């Protein structure tokens, strides 16, 4: 097992450097030079321009610039935002919990509903319910989620007035950010109604963000379940006279869930990408909205290192899923 | 299934001399048309393609003409609707149906060109990676893994953010994002084929590397690639619309489905049709292509039937 982890870790390092190379190159690909971009559209005095180039180390050869960049990263220096003058890292830390909260809520929604629908569809293979689930999940998979969000807002917020249109919490409440997770912070703050308000803000974005994972998980659970239900041990369990519920949920589902869990892990990337759209629609103050706003404001340090941070996150999640998968399935561990 | 029908056909060779085996095309169509959803998807896409090809003749109005007296007119079946604007008008008084029809041109164009732009280099890199498993292969695959570390839409957003918004950069960004899938798929298929006897035979017969790559091996790797091309066609349309929605794709006033949605956001309380219809068009087109993709997969590559 240790050698398996070591091998995976070994693969991680070149990937990490590759990503830094990518984010480094991204900034160099901007038409025009970074100093002109930073100083705005007005004409830049050549002397000041040269000074800025010198200060930022942009007059050095490319490999030296890259080494500088890596060196700064190693010291935990991710640069500062051009707009707020705050460090990119601290901005990321304040906004990140909001995205995690949203993503977890979406995964919870997609996971419970998706596994349940997938199991029932597999058990009633060929039935109307099965066809319905498969149809709906293909529709969900094809969904432009930015539109889906607008439709839900139009129906539930504007039409019925059940949920708020945007944000994480009503302005009436002054919540101390202790954990960064609004649901926990509102409980800690003991302000009346704050928790329910936060929950109502969370529901629609979570549904929107969870729609595509829901479709994928339902399809995956169904096909994994169909495969497992054919196995001998399921027949044996039935023959032993175990209750149908026990056979399905203990004997079959546990094995069917292994591939589904992998899909869960792979969906993290989809969730982060989806968060960009969902957060933009619902004005959810997370890293997705932060990134899009920074792009609009040409705040390149934020764009560059925000993307780097997200990529590292995805790499780490994939690594963890790999390791967990190796733990659950020895055959993977001993490959090659 | 064919084992029962073939003796029957063989008994009447005079009437139908060639029908001993159905032609590959006919066989494919039989398998494809068994999937009702796929046929439905195909029909819808044919309609969309027709609209895209003949947009100026199909569309009732010029997509950018502003009828100032008819701002936000509802669809014709609603109260206040006008017969000349079947699906109503947008905030500038432009005919929605005409804009949707012209938008189909753009979406199909982006889909098609980005698929081609990633399919061809993808196949080439995948073939190279499969044929040179020592040094070149692993380095190509490592590069693809790096690209896969970024969620697809984010990578596209990053590329467009740097290169600037617009049609060409949208196509380019989407093509780059889809490249790793083709490389991986081609390489996996090539690795599977390389040990087969027919490849060894071709090698022994003196086939050179280009011939081995493109004539011997590649045709046998096409099935999963065609399926993947269909699937990435639909996600290209989705990604292009998402970029347009974020203001990073095709710029207004060009009638692009995602861009239309972005400008419709402000009218969410008053005019449901400007919000609903462009998105519904995106959803239906993407759904139709995905249904077709399912049918293609069942017909071309039965092994993948249960994959997601």
């Amino acid at each position: 097992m240790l050698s398996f982890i070591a091998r995976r870790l070994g693969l991680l390092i070149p990937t990490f450097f590759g990503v830094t190379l990518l984010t480094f190159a991204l900034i160099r690909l901007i038409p025009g030079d970074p100093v002109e971009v930073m100083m705005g559209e007005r004409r830049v005095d050549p002397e000041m321009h040269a000074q800025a180039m010198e200060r930022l180390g942009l007059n050095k050869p490319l490999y030296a610039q890259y080494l500088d960049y890596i060196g700064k990263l190693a010291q935990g220096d991710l640069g500062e935002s051009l707009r707020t003058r705050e460090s990119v890292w601290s901005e990321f830390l304040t906004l990140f919990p909001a995205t995690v909260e949203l993503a977890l809520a979406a995964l919870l929604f997609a996971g419970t509903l998706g596994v349940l629908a997938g199991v029932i569809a597999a058990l009633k293979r060929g039935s109307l319910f099965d066809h319905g689930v498969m149809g709906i999940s293909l529709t969900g998979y094809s969904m432009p989620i930015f539109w889906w969000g607008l439709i839900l807002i139009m129906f539930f917020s504007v039409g019925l007035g059940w949920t708020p249109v945007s944000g994480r919490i009503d302005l009436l409440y002054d919540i101390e950010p202790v954990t960064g997770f609004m649901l926990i912070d509102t409980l800690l703050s003991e302000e009346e109604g704050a928790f329910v308000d936060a929950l109502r803000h969370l529901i629609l974005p979570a549904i929107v963000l969870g729609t595509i994972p829901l479709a994928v998980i339902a399809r995956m659970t169904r096909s994994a379940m169909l495969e497992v239900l054919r196995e001998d041990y399921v027949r044996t369990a039935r023959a032993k006279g175990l209750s149908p519920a026990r056979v399905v949920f203990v004997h079959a589902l546990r094995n069917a869930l292994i591939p589904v869990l992998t899909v869960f892990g792979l969906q993290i990337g989809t969730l982060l990408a989806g968060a960009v759209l969902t957060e933009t629609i619902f004005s959810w103050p997370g890293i997705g909205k932060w990134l899009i706003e920074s792009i609009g404001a040409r705040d390149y340090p934020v764009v560059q290192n925000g993307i780097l941070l997200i990529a590292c996150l995805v790499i780490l999640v994939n690594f963890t899923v790999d390791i967990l998968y190796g733990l659950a399935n020895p055959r993977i561990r001993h490959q090659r | 299934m064919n084992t029962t029908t073939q003796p029957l056909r063989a008994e009447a060779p005079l009437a139908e001399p060639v029908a001993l085996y159905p032609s590959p095309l006919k066989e494919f169509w039989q398998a494809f048309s068994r999937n009702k959803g796929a046929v439905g998807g195909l029909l819808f896409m044919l309609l969309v393609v027709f609209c895209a090809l003949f947009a100026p003749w199909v569309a009732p109005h010029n997509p950018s003409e502003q009828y100032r007296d008819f701002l936000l007119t509802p669809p014709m079946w609603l109260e206040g609707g006008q017969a000349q604007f079947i699906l109503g008008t947008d905030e500038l008084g432009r005919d929605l149906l005409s804009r949707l029809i012209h938008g189909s041109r753009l979406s199909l164009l982006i889909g098609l060109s980005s698929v081609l732009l990633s399919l061809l280099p993808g196949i080439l890199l995948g073939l190279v990676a499969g044929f040179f498993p020592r040094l070149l292969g692993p380095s190509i695959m490592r590069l693809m893994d790096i690209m896969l570390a970024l969620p697809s839409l984010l990578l596209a957003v990053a590329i467009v953010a740097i290169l600037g918004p617009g049609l060409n950069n949208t196509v380019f960004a989407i093509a780059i994002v889809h490249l790793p899938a083709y490389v991986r798929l081609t390489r996996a298929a090539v690795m599977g084929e390389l040990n087969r006897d027919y490849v060894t035979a071709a090698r022994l017969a003196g086939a050179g590397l280009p011939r081995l790559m493109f004539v011997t091996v590649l045709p046998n790797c096409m099935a999963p690639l065609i399926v993947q091309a269909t699937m990435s066609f639909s996600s290209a349309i989705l990604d292009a619309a998402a970029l347009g929605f974020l203001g990073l794709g095709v710029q207004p006033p060009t009638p692009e489905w995602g861009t239309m949605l972005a400008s419709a956001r402000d009218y969410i309380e008053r005019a449901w049709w400007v919000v609903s219809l462009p998105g519904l068009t995106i959803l239906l087109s993407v759904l139709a292509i995905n249904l077709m993709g399912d049918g293609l997969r069942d017909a071309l590559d039965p092994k993948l039937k249960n994959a997601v």
Side-chain angles (χ1 to χ4, degrees), chain B residues 83-247:
Chain B
Q84 56 167 326
F85 304 116
I86 299 173
L87 294 180
T89 60
D90 67 4
E91 70 277 11
L92 294 175
R94 295 172 297 194
D95 181 44
L96 211 55
L97 179 63
S98 309
R99 287 181 70 71
L100 288 176
I101 288 174
H102 278 266
S104 67
R105 286 193 144 178
L106 221 56
S107 288
L108 290 187
L109 182 75
I110 292 175
L112 201 65
S113 43
S114 64
V115 164
L116 284 180
L117 211 60
S118 57
L119 182 68
L120 300 179
I123 286 179
L124 206 64
L125 284 172
L127 278 171
V128 171
F131 270 85
F132 301 97
R134 289 274 160 72
L135 202 68
L136 216 50
S139 22
I140 292 177
M141 296 323 286
R142 216 82 287 273
L143 196 70
M144 293 303 127
D145 282 353
I146 294 168
M147 288 168 69
L148 281 176
L150 275 172
S152 66
L153 184 66
L154 263 186
L155 185 56
V157 162
I159 295 171
V160 175
I162 300 304
L163 298 179
L167 180 62
N168 290 341
N169 290 343
T170 302
V171 170
F172 179 68
I174 295 173
I176 295 238
V177 165
H178 289 167
L179 185 67
Y182 291 111
V183 178
R184 290 188 135 196
L185 218 54
T186 313
R187 175 174 167 271
V190 168
M191 304 275 266
E193 296 295 317
L194 273 183
N195 296 324
R196 300 278 185 91
D197 288 342
Y198 77 93
V199 182
T200 317
R203 244 188 244 267
L204 286 176
L209 189 64
R211 190 182 168 84
L212 270 180
M213 275 182 169
F214 294 101
V215 183
T216 314
V217 172
L218 183 59
N220 292 305
C221 303
M222 283 316 280
L225 286 173
I226 293 175
V227 176
Q228 175 65 29
T230 324
M231 296 302 187
S232 68
F233 188 78
S234 69
S235 65
I237 292 182
L238 264 186
D239 286 352
L243 285 175
F245 180 74
L246 291 172

